[in-house]
Amino acid sequence: MAKANAVWGIDIGQCALKALRCTISDDGESIVADKYDFIEYPKILSLPDAEPEEMIKQALTQFLSRNTVLGDQVAISVSGQAGLSRFFKPPPVDTKTLPDIVKYEVRQQIPFPIEDVIWDWQQLGGTIVDGRAVDAEVGLFAMKRDAVYRALEPFDTAEVDVDYVQLSPLSIFNVVCHDRFDELPDPEEFDPENPPESVVVMSMGTDTTDLIVTNGIKLWLRNIPIGGNHFTKQLAREMKLTQAKAEHLKRNARASENPKAIFKAMRPVFGDLVNEVQRSLTYFQSNEKSAELSEIVLLGNAARLPGLRQFLNKQLDIDIAKINEFSKLGGPEITSQSAFSDNVLSFAPCYGLCLQGLKKAQVKTNLLPEEIVVERVIRAKKPWVLFSTAAIALGLLSGFFFKANNWWVVHKDYEDSSGTSWESAMNKVSAKDTASKRLLSEDSAAKEKLDKFNVIAKELKSASEDKYTWLELYSALGQAFPKDDRITGKADPEEVGFEDRKELYIDHVESLFHEDLATWFATIQPVHANMFIIPAEEMQAATSSDSAQAQQQEQTETAAAEGAAGVTGPGWVLEIRGHHFHNSDEALSKLNAGKTYLYKSLIKSLLNKKDVVLPFGGDDNKFSFEDIGISYPTITVSSDREPKTIEFDPTRSPDEEAGNSGSKKRMPGGGSMGGGGEDRGTGSSSGTTEQEDNVYTFNVWEYNFVVQMAWTPRSQAEIIAARETRRAAEAAADAAAAQAAAAAEQSEQ
């Protein structure tokens, strides 16, 4: 199956694993980068105490954990030092016989048994004249077989299929041809005596430097055994530093206290590198006398060594090109990222591998072992072979069944010993079959009618067993709020003052569903326990310490009875935000204001009220809030008394007037639902002041609160069952108490 139009180029270097994923743009011309990765090893692989296999395995595992290569082509590079490159010029021969000449040259040029190496070749330049290759050059590239399998081993372990194995210098050559040359020379017009200018590429690795000289057609390679690690070792030796400190100092030489001392310590390695480059270029120009060198391109992270460009420029007298990006690589969202741009020089081999996988490369050689290619071709064709074999077997089997079926055909005129013909017997069977189908049809119609009756019966039954509705819940909650029977008609505050009204005003009601109410209870439990403690302000204002202590004792006993069993399972959390004005100094002194009044009026009802009337249950339709599924009513927010100014218009109805006192719609029993939006006053004592249009102003104390409670919805049958269970438990408790009292009385006698 053909792979997607995307290629991962992976370069496993001595210091880090670099990977780049490229695709073809929509116009089919440009190369676009859409993913990359850079994973630095803890140590350089060539250090004596390093474990290269383990570190490469860990880096590749980390790469695969955050990137997906399935469906993409994968190309890897190997060091130029691990490979062998040879170039020769064949005589003008027929292009059909050129492969035979190459095979002969392979045995002459490669100093290893041919069965121990994996090799490939490519023609570089040359023109075709009368079917013959003229002025052509052939590049032979080879690696020892065991070295190739060592490079593939980490990918085999990770179950990643590699499609291309390429020498790193050849990948860089493809990058130079694609990215540095605006237009490649035409091989048909190439003049060996007057070739185009050549570019020198120095790809500096950790331990070696690949020197590549090319004019876009011809190619010359050499591996120099000097790399970035040699500068580190020289610095560590000269300045008596550890390898790690020397590496850090080398990378940050310009920011050090004495950069001149650092450059001086590394100068011998600079000199050795320049000597090797000069010697290599001299040898190249002695063979290519007409070649002219235009510039040197530095690649690899080691090329960022401070002072290297200036030193090479001065010693070699050749322009040193400064590379900050790949000009023809698209995908700015990738190339602009700091991790990529900081290491852009080291991504050249990955870029070249992507070019080869996307068919945009000059050199197309592949050192992937042929046996692996054959194995994958067979593996890809196995499903088709199995499908074809199965189709043939199915065809043969079908033919056999058709033939066998003919053996069992009986002629219609055949008669048995009793004189019954085959045709008459079949007619009887057909008649029975018709009758059977008719009966089955009638049975199906009767069953369909029965199903309809069952659906109707289920609907009638479920109507009474349905979950407790929100309207019924609000109706029940309304019965928990205090009801002041004195407030009738226009509710004149001169008759019943706001501070004396037994009412709660509801500003807002919210509900939130929880998959498990235990999470809510874990948060609310300490708040619920503290709710039963009377605030210090109210205790101090109490005129009777005995009554205050008694009140506190009562609430403490209620808290103990409530317990902390908790609530679990799915359900709703109901939140009521409101306020009340029952906060006069007299009410405060009687422990009947603020939080205490809220407890006595609402919380106590939610905990103890057992005569909540619901629209089901027949004559016995009274329940407790616990039966309904409401538990743990908790005052979560409790404010101090705050001054409040109320404007009263006696011409308005009570519901309209409630809007002026901070509420808009009353709940049954005296509470109210809706939002306020009132202005705060500054007075603290009760009084009236007549204003225009018969509007009176009252100064009262306001107390704001938030109450939360858990609600586990129950069906009507479940609510009735819960009530009966509760009543049975209460009866048992009463019987036990009576028995204990009788026993105590008898013991006293």
Side-chain angles (χ1 to χ4, degrees):
M1 188 174 105
K3 291 195 173 185
N5 187 26
V7 180
W8 275 103
I10 303 176
D11 176 28
I12 298 181
Q14 291 290 311
C15 285
L17 181 149
K18 287 86 66 179
L20 180 66
R21 184 180 187 269
C22 293
T23 60
I24 296 288
S25 62
D26 295 337
D27 59 11
E29 297 295 330
S30 304
I31 306 297
V32 178
D34 59 5
K35 290 182 182 178
Y36 80 100
D37 210 339
F38 184 87
I39 303 173
E40 197 165 3
Y41 309 135
K43 296 179 181 179
I44 297 175
L45 298 184
S46 58
L47 291 179
D49 59 341
E51 298 180 0
E53 294 82 3
E54 185 62 27
M55 287 194 288
I56 291 174
K57 179 182 177 181
Q58 291 176 359
L60 191 57
T61 300
Q62 184 179 353
F63 165 74
L64 293 174
S65 68
R66 56 196 191 196
N67 299 283
T68 301
V69 300
L70 185 64
D72 298 335
Q73 298 185 81
V74 177
I76 67 170
S77 66
V78 292
S79 169
Q81 187 181 16
L84 182 69
S85 303
R86 293 289 185 269
F87 301 91
F88 73 93
K89 295 182 179 180
V93 294
D94 192 330
T95 54
K96 295 181 181 180
T97 61
L98 184 58
D100 297 328
I101 295 177
V102 171
K103 290 179 182 178
Y104 173 79
E105 286 293 333
V106 166
R107 299 183 179 276
Q108 304 301 316
Q109 299 273 3
I110 297 179
F112 304 107
I114 196 66
E115 62 273 7
D116 292 342
V117 297
I118 297 173
W119 62 277
D120 202 353
W121 66 281
Q122 182 165 328
Q123 177 181 334
L124 303 172
T127 57
I128 306 299
V129 179
D130 296 333
R132 293 175 177 268
V134 180
D135 293 331
E137 186 174 20
V138 173
L140 297 176
F141 310 104
M143 278 184 68
K144 297 192 74 174
R145 183 176 294 273
D146 58 349
V148 174
Y149 276 96
R150 274 200 307 273
L152 291 171
E153 183 179 1
F155 296 92
D156 291 339
T157 304
E159 298 182 351
V160 175
D161 287 342
V162 176
D163 299 279
Y164 299 94
V165 178
Q166 185 59 279
L167 294 175
S168 182
L170 298 182
S171 296
I172 294 172
F173 166 75
N174 287 331
V175 173
V176 173
C177 292
H178 181 81
D179 216 70
R180 297 297 296 177
F181 290 101
D182 294 331
E183 187 175 349
L184 291 174
D186 186 355
E188 296 291 333
E189 300 176 0
F190 182 78
D191 183 3
E193 300 300 325
N194 187 26
E197 292 182 337
S198 297
V199 174
V200 180
V201 182
M202 288 177 59
S203 177
M204 298 186 64
T206 303
D207 295 321
T208 61
T209 297
D210 289 321
L211 193 66
I212 306 157
V213 184
T214 179
N215 55 20
I217 294 181
K218 297 297 183 70
L219 171 65
W220 185 81
L221 305 174
R222 182 171 181 251
N223 186 265
I224 299 175
I226 298 176
N229 200 29
H230 290 76
F231 292 93
T232 304
K233 291 179 180 178
Q234 178 68 17
L235 196 58
R237 185 166 49 250
E238 290 292 326
M239 304 188 76
K240 312 298 182 185
L241 301 173
T242 63
Q243 182 80 9
K245 289 184 178 180
E247 180 69 21
H248 177 76
L249 193 61
K250 180 188 75 174
R251 295 187 181 188
N252 303 276
R254 294 190 185 279
S256 64
E257 296 179 356
N258 191 359
K260 289 186 178 181
I262 298 174
F263 297 143
K264 183 178 179 181
M266 295 189 296
R267 189 174 182 84
V269 184
F270 277 112
D272 293 343
L273 178 62
V274 169
N275 290 337
E276 288 292 334
V277 173
Q278 285 179 330
R279 192 153 58 91
S280 300
L281 295 181
T282 301
Y283 176 77
F284 168 76
Q285 289 183 310
S286 67
N287 292 329
E288 301 288 340
K289 300 185 182 301
S290 57
E292 294 185 7
L293 306 180
S294 61
E295 63 177 358
I296 294 179
V297 176
L298 294 179
L299 296 175
N301 272 348
R304 298 164 55 196
L305 188 67
L308 178 62
R309 289 182 65 255
Q310 294 83 348
F311 189 82
L312 291 175
N313 194 10
K314 181 178 179 181
Q315 298 296 324
L316 299 177
D317 195 24
I318 303 176
D319 290 338
I320 310 297
K322 187 174 182 180
I323 305 296
N324 293 322
E325 62 178 2
F326 299 121
S327 59
K328 295 183 181 179
L329 177 62
E333 63 279 0
I334 296 297
T335 58
S336 62
Q337 294 187 24
S338 58
F340 184 87
S341 58
D342 291 345
N343 300 280
V344 66
L345 298 180
S346 66
F347 276 95
C350 301
Y351 184 18
L353 292 170
C354 292
L355 289 171
Q356 182 171 355
L358 296 173
K359 313 302 181 187
K360 298 290 185 180
Q362 289 293 103
V363 172
K364 304 176 180 62
T365 56
N366 188 1
L367 298 181
L368 186 68
E370 185 177 358
E371 56 268 25
I372 293 180
V373 177
V374 172
E375 177 189 351
R376 290 181 186 169
V377 170
I378 294 174
R379 185 174 64 189
K381 291 184 177 180
K382 273 184 179 179
W384 296 103
V385 173
L386 292 175
F387 176 77
S388 301
T389 304
I392 293 173
L394 182 62
L396 294 174
L397 198 59
S398 300
F400 170 77
F401 280 127
F402 281 123
K403 190 67 175 176
N405 188 51
N406 288 332
W407 294 343
W408 293 95
V409 172
V410 180
H411 198 275
K412 64 179 181 177
D413 295 333
Y414 171 79
E415 294 183 356
D416 62 6
S417 58
S418 64
T420 303
S421 68
W422 181 261
E423 184 178 15
S424 63
M426 291 302 296
N427 289 336
K428 291 180 180 179
V429 170
S430 178
K432 294 292 185 182
D433 182 61
T434 302
S436 174
K437 289 180 179 178
R438 177 179 57 79
L439 293 174
L440 287 173
S441 177
E442 292 175 356
D443 180 72
S444 177
K447 185 178 179 182
E448 183 178 354
K449 184 180 293 186
L450 177 62
D451 289 341
K452 290 181 179 179
F453 282 121
N454 287 335
V455 170
I456 295 172
K458 184 177 179 181
E459 290 177 351
L460 292 175
K461 180 181 177 182
S462 63
S464 62
E465 293 294 322
D466 200 3
K467 291 295 184 182
Y468 193 50
T469 66
W470 284 94
L471 290 176
E472 292 168 340
L473 174 67
Y474 279 124
S475 173
L477 285 177
Q479 298 177 52
F481 286 84
K483 180 175 179 61
D484 196 333
D485 296 331
R486 299 171 299 167
I487 303 175
T488 58
K490 297 297 183 180
D492 189 348
E494 291 290 344
E495 298 176 4
V496 182
F498 282 104
E499 73 280 358
D500 190 37
R501 294 186 178 188
K502 298 177 182 179
E503 286 187 320
L504 297 177
Y505 299 96
I506 306 308
D507 302 321
H508 196 61
V509 178
E510 285 285 353
S511 60
L512 179 63
F513 182 77
H514 287 257
E515 291 292 343
D516 189 357
L517 287 170
T519 57
W520 169 82
F521 182 73
T523 304
I524 211 70
Q525 184 179 13
V527 181
H528 182 77
N530 292 331
M531 174 185 69
F532 297 96
I533 300 174
I534 299 176
E537 176 193 6
E538 298 182 28
M539 290 289 286
Q540 292 172 2
T543 56
S544 171
S545 60
D546 292 340
S547 62
Q549 293 295 330
Q551 176 67 25
Q552 181 62 80
Q553 178 66 24
E554 177 190 347
Q555 296 189 191
T556 303
E557 292 174 356
T558 303
E562 178 70 2
V567 57
T568 60
W572 295 83
V573 173
L574 307 178
E575 180 179 275
I576 300 175
R577 296 176 179 266
H579 61 279
H580 69 76
F581 305 123
H582 199 277
N583 302 300
S584 66
D585 293 339
E586 181 182 357
L588 187 64
S589 67
K590 294 180 180 180
L591 281 180
N592 197 24
K595 180 180 177 183
T596 308
Y597 175 70
L598 177 63
Y599 168 80
K600 290 181 178 181
S601 60
L602 176 61
I603 302 299
K604 201 169 181 180
S605 293
L606 291 172
L607 292 175
N608 302 325
K609 190 175 179 64
K610 299 177 182 178
D611 58 350
V612 180
V613 178
L614 296 179
F616 57 83
D619 295 334
D620 190 7
N621 61 347
K622 295 182 179 180
F623 303 86
S624 70
F625 285 101
E626 181 184 2
D627 301 336
I628 297 170
I630 290 178
S631 59
Y632 294 97
T634 304
I635 303 173
T636 59
V637 176
S638 177
S639 73
D640 294 331
R641 293 192 308 166
E642 299 176 1
K644 168 75 176 186
T645 299
I646 299 177
E647 293 182 353
F648 174 72
D649 185 351
T651 62
R652 291 183 174 181
S653 67
D655 285 342
E656 292 175 324
E657 197 54 44
N660 272 340
S661 62
S663 304
K664 290 187 178 178
K665 183 177 180 182
R666 299 192 173 204
M667 289 188 66
S672 58
M673 297 186 60
E678 67 277 10
D679 296 329
R680 301 286 178 186
T682 57
S684 60
S685 61
S686 299
T688 63
T689 302
E690 187 171 355
Q691 298 180 351
E692 295 181 4
D693 298 329
N694 296 321
V695 175
Y696 294 84
T697 300
F698 294 88
N699 295 322
V700 294
W701 291 103
E702 182 184 50
Y703 167 79
N704 291 280
F705 62 87
V706 176
V707 173
Q708 289 187 2
M709 66 195 76
W711 176 43
T712 304
R714 294 174 177 173
S715 67
Q716 296 177 8
E718 290 171 340
I719 292 174
I720 294 173
R723 181 188 63 185
E724 299 310 316
T725 302
R726 172 180 58 79
R727 288 179 176 178
E730 290 173 352
D734 292 343
Q739 185 177 1
E745 182 178 354
Q746 185 176 2
S747 64
E748 289 178 358
Q749 293 175 355

